[in-house]
Amino acid sequence: MFRRFLFVILLGIVLLVGCNSNLSLSLTEKSEGSLSKDIQSFFHDVNEQNGVHLYFDNQNSSIFVYLNGSNVKQGEKAVHFTNFNVKADRETISLSYESDQTLNYSDEAFSNELFYEINVDKNYETIKLFNNGEETHFGSISGN
């Protein structure tokens, strides 16, 4: 299972950036409405699953990330996100985010759903994900 997961990530990255050397690594927070219909459809399909979801947009050399903590059972703590960052080191992209939990469900200052677009600048072999400094995994991965 892990080998298949790693293969999908590697294949997506190779297909994602091709040979375009005019790109630069950048990160932009997005609203859900600004995403293409295909990306919205994928994120809508996984919105019942808390976690971090990844979508490779090979046509635009971008990776879209959906941080979802919106599914909360009554009486349990709600997850919200406070920070997101991307760094590259040789052949690895590291995505890191900070999360916290609260029982205050109604505070609009807490972000429990975030969307990011990462424009990649070259081929990367690996994508790593970190939550509060600890390496973790993606909930789902897809792409075009």
Side-chain angles (χ1 to χ4, degrees):
M1 175 86 171
F2 179 74
R3 286 183 181 169
R4 181 175 168 225
F5 173 73
L6 187 57
F7 175 75
V8 168
I9 288 178
L10 293 175
L11 180 62
I13 292 171
V14 169
L15 294 174
L16 179 64
V17 293
C19 297
N20 191 345
S21 61
N22 295 325
L23 300 174
S24 63
L25 185 66
S26 64
L27 172 68
T28 307
E29 186 172 352
K30 296 288 191 176
S31 67
E32 184 176 6
S34 71
L35 303 174
S36 75
K37 296 293 183 197
D38 289 341
I39 298 168
Q40 284 185 39
S41 177
F42 168 68
F43 288 155
H44 179 72
D45 289 345
V46 298
N47 73 351
E48 295 295 321
Q49 303 170 28
N50 283 349
V52 180
H53 308 282
L54 201 64
Y55 185 92
F56 291 99
D57 183 0
N58 294 320
Q59 297 169 348
N60 297 305
S61 299
S62 296
I63 302 170
F64 287 86
V65 180
Y66 173 33
L67 288 90
N68 184 17
S70 64
N71 301 295
V72 182
K73 293 181 182 177
Q74 187 66 31
E76 292 185 4
K77 291 184 177 182
V79 173
H80 63 97
F81 306 103
T82 57
N83 189 25
F84 185 79
N85 195 15
V86 60
K87 287 196 294 188
D89 182 27
R90 296 185 194 138
E91 301 304 317
T92 301
I93 292 178
S94 296
L95 307 178
S96 61
Y97 66 99
E98 303 292 322
S99 66
D100 204 352
Q101 298 181 349
T102 183
L103 286 171
N104 183 357
Y105 306 127
S106 61
D107 191 338
E108 293 181 17
F110 295 132
S111 299
N112 59 9
E113 270 188 307
L114 294 173
F115 301 90
Y116 290 95
E117 178 180 11
I118 301 165
N119 291 308
V120 294
D121 57 345
K122 68 174 197 158
N123 293 336
Y124 290 96
E125 291 181 15
T126 308
I127 297 178
K128 291 186 176 185
L129 180 65
F130 297 89
N131 177 17
N132 296 332
E134 298 290 323
E135 190 167 2
T136 187
H137 64 277
F138 295 99
S140 58
I141 299 173
S142 187
N144 60 17

PDB file of all heavy atoms in Angstrom, residues 9 13 85-87 92-96 126-130 135-138:
ATOM      1  N   ILE A   9       2.597   9.475  -5.817  1.00  0.00           N
ATOM      2  CA  ILE A   9       3.176  10.796  -5.556  1.00  0.00           C
ATOM      3  C   ILE A   9       4.299  11.081  -6.543  1.00  0.00           C
ATOM      4  O   ILE A   9       4.341  12.152  -7.151  1.00  0.00           O
ATOM      5  CB  ILE A   9       3.686  10.907  -4.109  1.00  0.00           C
ATOM      6  CG1 ILE A   9       2.495  10.990  -3.156  1.00  0.00           C
ATOM      7  CG2 ILE A   9       4.570  12.138  -3.937  1.00  0.00           C
ATOM      8  CD1 ILE A   9       2.884  11.043  -1.706  1.00  0.00           C
ATOM      9  N   ILE A  13       4.303  14.022  -9.488  1.00  0.00           N
ATOM     10  CA  ILE A  13       5.293  15.097  -9.523  1.00  0.00           C
ATOM     11  C   ILE A  13       6.005  15.133 -10.862  1.00  0.00           C
ATOM     12  O   ILE A  13       6.192  16.195 -11.445  1.00  0.00           O
ATOM     13  CB  ILE A  13       6.298  14.944  -8.362  1.00  0.00           C
ATOM     14  CG1 ILE A  13       5.585  15.194  -7.032  1.00  0.00           C
ATOM     15  CG2 ILE A  13       7.465  15.907  -8.521  1.00  0.00           C
ATOM     16  CD1 ILE A  13       6.412  14.875  -5.825  1.00  0.00           C
ATOM     17  N   ASN A  85       2.709  26.205   5.376  1.00  0.00           N
ATOM     18  CA  ASN A  85       3.932  26.651   4.724  1.00  0.00           C
ATOM     19  C   ASN A  85       4.454  25.546   3.809  1.00  0.00           C
ATOM     20  O   ASN A  85       4.178  24.374   4.016  1.00  0.00           O
ATOM     21  CB  ASN A  85       4.986  26.995   5.784  1.00  0.00           C
ATOM     22  CG  ASN A  85       6.129  27.799   5.219  1.00  0.00           C
ATOM     23  OD1 ASN A  85       6.045  28.352   4.125  1.00  0.00           O
ATOM     24  ND2 ASN A  85       7.213  27.881   5.962  1.00  0.00           N
ATOM     25  N   VAL A  86       5.214  25.955   2.808  1.00  0.00           N
ATOM     26  CA  VAL A  86       5.853  25.012   1.905  1.00  0.00           C
ATOM     27  C   VAL A  86       7.329  25.374   1.786  1.00  0.00           C
ATOM     28  O   VAL A  86       7.681  26.556   1.729  1.00  0.00           O
ATOM     29  CB  VAL A  86       5.172  24.994   0.508  1.00  0.00           C
ATOM     30  CG1 VAL A  86       5.236  26.350  -0.154  1.00  0.00           C
ATOM     31  CG2 VAL A  86       5.773  23.923  -0.389  1.00  0.00           C
ATOM     32  N   LYS A  87       8.188  24.341   1.809  1.00  0.00           N
ATOM     33  CA  LYS A  87       9.630  24.530   1.621  1.00  0.00           C
ATOM     34  C   LYS A  87      10.137  23.426   0.706  1.00  0.00           C
ATOM     35  O   LYS A  87       9.623  22.309   0.726  1.00  0.00           O
ATOM     36  CB  LYS A  87      10.384  24.452   2.950  1.00  0.00           C
ATOM     37  CG  LYS A  87      10.198  25.648   3.841  1.00  0.00           C
ATOM     38  CD  LYS A  87      11.224  25.739   4.941  1.00  0.00           C
ATOM     39  CE  LYS A  87      11.118  24.615   5.929  1.00  0.00           C
ATOM     40  NZ  LYS A  87      11.982  24.789   7.108  1.00  0.00           N
ATOM     41  N   THR A  92      12.847  17.307  -2.512  1.00  0.00           N
ATOM     42  CA  THR A  92      11.723  17.103  -1.604  1.00  0.00           C
ATOM     43  C   THR A  92      10.985  18.408  -1.349  1.00  0.00           C
ATOM     44  O   THR A  92      11.608  19.435  -1.086  1.00  0.00           O
ATOM     45  CB  THR A  92      12.209  16.533  -0.254  1.00  0.00           C
ATOM     46  OG1 THR A  92      12.886  15.297  -0.509  1.00  0.00           O
ATOM     47  CG2 THR A  92      11.072  16.318   0.712  1.00  0.00           C
ATOM     48  N   ILE A  93       9.666  18.339  -1.422  1.00  0.00           N
ATOM     49  CA  ILE A  93       8.820  19.450  -0.985  1.00  0.00           C
ATOM     50  C   ILE A  93       8.263  19.055   0.378  1.00  0.00           C
ATOM     51  O   ILE A  93       7.743  17.945   0.548  1.00  0.00           O
ATOM     52  CB  ILE A  93       7.641  19.693  -1.945  1.00  0.00           C
ATOM     53  CG1 ILE A  93       8.130  20.210  -3.286  1.00  0.00           C
ATOM     54  CG2 ILE A  93       6.660  20.698  -1.344  1.00  0.00           C
ATOM     55  CD1 ILE A  93       7.011  20.429  -4.288  1.00  0.00           C
ATOM     56  N   SER A  94       8.368  19.954   1.340  1.00  0.00           N
ATOM     57  CA  SER A  94       7.809  19.722   2.665  1.00  0.00           C
ATOM     58  C   SER A  94       6.661  20.691   2.886  1.00  0.00           C
ATOM     59  O   SER A  94       6.837  21.901   2.807  1.00  0.00           O
ATOM     60  CB  SER A  94       8.862  19.928   3.752  1.00  0.00           C
ATOM     61  OG  SER A  94       9.885  18.965   3.617  1.00  0.00           O
ATOM     62  N   LEU A  95       5.486  20.130   3.134  1.00  0.00           N
ATOM     63  CA  LEU A  95       4.311  20.924   3.465  1.00  0.00           C
ATOM     64  C   LEU A  95       4.125  20.812   4.968  1.00  0.00           C
ATOM     65  O   LEU A  95       4.124  19.710   5.522  1.00  0.00           O
ATOM     66  CB  LEU A  95       3.072  20.378   2.762  1.00  0.00           C
ATOM     67  CG  LEU A  95       3.155  20.178   1.246  1.00  0.00           C
ATOM     68  CD1 LEU A  95       1.859  19.580   0.726  1.00  0.00           C
ATOM     69  CD2 LEU A  95       3.462  21.485   0.561  1.00  0.00           C
ATOM     70  N   SER A  96       3.989  21.954   5.630  1.00  0.00           N
ATOM     71  CA  SER A  96       3.799  21.919   7.078  1.00  0.00           C
ATOM     72  C   SER A  96       2.626  22.804   7.458  1.00  0.00           C
ATOM     73  O   SER A  96       2.400  23.845   6.857  1.00  0.00           O
ATOM     74  CB  SER A  96       5.071  22.364   7.797  1.00  0.00           C
ATOM     75  OG  SER A  96       5.405  23.679   7.443  1.00  0.00           O
ATOM     76  N   THR A 126       9.774  13.696  -3.893  1.00  0.00           N
ATOM     77  CA  THR A 126       9.038  13.370  -2.685  1.00  0.00           C
ATOM     78  C   THR A 126       8.260  14.584  -2.178  1.00  0.00           C
ATOM     79  O   THR A 126       8.744  15.704  -2.259  1.00  0.00           O
ATOM     80  CB  THR A 126      10.013  12.918  -1.574  1.00  0.00           C
ATOM     81  OG1 THR A 126      10.852  11.875  -2.084  1.00  0.00           O
ATOM     82  CG2 THR A 126       9.287  12.424  -0.339  1.00  0.00           C
ATOM     83  N   ILE A 127       7.074  14.311  -1.633  1.00  0.00           N
ATOM     84  CA  ILE A 127       6.318  15.322  -0.903  1.00  0.00           C
ATOM     85  C   ILE A 127       6.129  14.793   0.504  1.00  0.00           C
ATOM     86  O   ILE A 127       5.628  13.682   0.702  1.00  0.00           O
ATOM     87  CB  ILE A 127       4.940  15.599  -1.532  1.00  0.00           C
ATOM     88  CG1 ILE A 127       5.093  16.155  -2.939  1.00  0.00           C
ATOM     89  CG2 ILE A 127       4.152  16.575  -0.664  1.00  0.00           C
ATOM     90  CD1 ILE A 127       3.771  16.399  -3.643  1.00  0.00           C
ATOM     91  N   LYS A 128       6.549  15.580   1.491  1.00  0.00           N
ATOM     92  CA  LYS A 128       6.377  15.206   2.891  1.00  0.00           C
ATOM     93  C   LYS A 128       5.364  16.161   3.521  1.00  0.00           C
ATOM     94  O   LYS A 128       5.288  17.331   3.165  1.00  0.00           O
ATOM     95  CB  LYS A 128       7.699  15.279   3.651  1.00  0.00           C
ATOM     96  CG  LYS A 128       8.689  14.216   3.227  1.00  0.00           C
ATOM     97  CD  LYS A 128       9.913  14.243   4.095  1.00  0.00           C
ATOM     98  CE  LYS A 128      10.858  13.112   3.729  1.00  0.00           C
ATOM     99  NZ  LYS A 128      12.001  13.046   4.641  1.00  0.00           N
ATOM    100  N   LEU A 129       4.619  15.643   4.489  1.00  0.00           N
ATOM    101  CA  LEU A 129       3.598  16.417   5.176  1.00  0.00           C
ATOM    102  C   LEU A 129       3.871  16.384   6.671  1.00  0.00           C
ATOM    103  O   LEU A 129       4.118  15.311   7.240  1.00  0.00           O
ATOM    104  CB  LEU A 129       2.214  15.835   4.877  1.00  0.00           C
ATOM    105  CG  LEU A 129       1.026  16.533   5.521  1.00  0.00           C
ATOM    106  CD1 LEU A 129       0.867  17.957   4.980  1.00  0.00           C
ATOM    107  CD2 LEU A 129      -0.245  15.725   5.270  1.00  0.00           C
ATOM    108  N   PHE A 130       3.810  17.578   7.300  1.00  0.00           N
ATOM    109  CA  PHE A 130       4.064  17.698   8.731  1.00  0.00           C
ATOM    110  C   PHE A 130       2.931  18.467   9.399  1.00  0.00           C
ATOM    111  O   PHE A 130       2.526  19.523   8.916  1.00  0.00           O
ATOM    112  CB  PHE A 130       5.383  18.440   8.989  1.00  0.00           C
ATOM    113  CG  PHE A 130       6.581  17.719   8.456  1.00  0.00           C
ATOM    114  CD1 PHE A 130       7.011  17.933   7.153  1.00  0.00           C
ATOM    115  CD2 PHE A 130       7.274  16.826   9.254  1.00  0.00           C
ATOM    116  CE1 PHE A 130       8.118  17.268   6.650  1.00  0.00           C
ATOM    117  CE2 PHE A 130       8.388  16.152   8.755  1.00  0.00           C
ATOM    118  CZ  PHE A 130       8.807  16.373   7.454  1.00  0.00           C
ATOM    119  N   GLU A 135       5.795  14.343  11.246  1.00  0.00           N
ATOM    120  CA  GLU A 135       5.454  13.848   9.908  1.00  0.00           C
ATOM    121  C   GLU A 135       4.152  13.055   9.966  1.00  0.00           C
ATOM    122  O   GLU A 135       3.923  12.279  10.891  1.00  0.00           O
ATOM    123  CB  GLU A 135       6.580  12.996   9.339  1.00  0.00           C
ATOM    124  CG  GLU A 135       6.365  12.675   7.871  1.00  0.00           C
ATOM    125  CD  GLU A 135       7.603  12.107   7.190  1.00  0.00           C
ATOM    126  OE1 GLU A 135       8.639  11.910   7.852  1.00  0.00           O
ATOM    127  OE2 GLU A 135       7.518  11.872   5.969  1.00  0.00           O
ATOM    128  N   THR A 136       3.307  13.263   8.975  1.00  0.00           N
ATOM    129  CA  THR A 136       2.011  12.600   8.914  1.00  0.00           C
ATOM    130  C   THR A 136       1.729  12.207   7.455  1.00  0.00           C
ATOM    131  O   THR A 136       2.634  12.246   6.625  1.00  0.00           O
ATOM    132  CB  THR A 136       0.897  13.499   9.508  1.00  0.00           C
ATOM    133  OG1 THR A 136      -0.318  12.751   9.585  1.00  0.00           O
ATOM    134  CG2 THR A 136       0.716  14.778   8.733  1.00  0.00           C
ATOM    135  N   HIS A 137       0.493  11.842   7.124  1.00  0.00           N
ATOM    136  CA  HIS A 137       0.156  11.357   5.795  1.00  0.00           C
ATOM    137  C   HIS A 137      -1.024  12.137   5.222  1.00  0.00           C
ATOM    138  O   HIS A 137      -1.758  12.822   5.948  1.00  0.00           O
ATOM    139  CB  HIS A 137      -0.182   9.869   5.850  1.00  0.00           C
ATOM    140  CG  HIS A 137      -1.400   9.592   6.670  1.00  0.00           C
ATOM    141  ND1 HIS A 137      -1.361   9.487   8.033  1.00  0.00           N
ATOM    142  CD2 HIS A 137      -2.688   9.428   6.322  1.00  0.00           C
ATOM    143  CE1 HIS A 137      -2.570   9.267   8.503  1.00  0.00           C
ATOM    144  NE2 HIS A 137      -3.403   9.225   7.480  1.00  0.00           N
ATOM    145  N   PHE A 138      -1.216  12.003   3.919  1.00  0.00           N
ATOM    146  CA  PHE A 138      -2.347  12.628   3.239  1.00  0.00           C
ATOM    147  C   PHE A 138      -3.575  11.729   3.367  1.00  0.00           C
ATOM    148  O   PHE A 138      -3.466  10.503   3.350  1.00  0.00           O
ATOM    149  CB  PHE A 138      -2.030  12.859   1.752  1.00  0.00           C
ATOM    150  CG  PHE A 138      -0.914  13.846   1.555  1.00  0.00           C
ATOM    151  CD1 PHE A 138       0.369  13.420   1.308  1.00  0.00           C
ATOM    152  CD2 PHE A 138      -1.175  15.209   1.604  1.00  0.00           C
ATOM    153  CE1 PHE A 138       1.402  14.324   1.131  1.00  0.00           C
ATOM    154  CE2 PHE A 138      -0.154  16.130   1.438  1.00  0.00           C
ATOM    155  CZ  PHE A 138       1.129  15.691   1.192  1.00  0.00           C
TER     156      PHE A 138
END
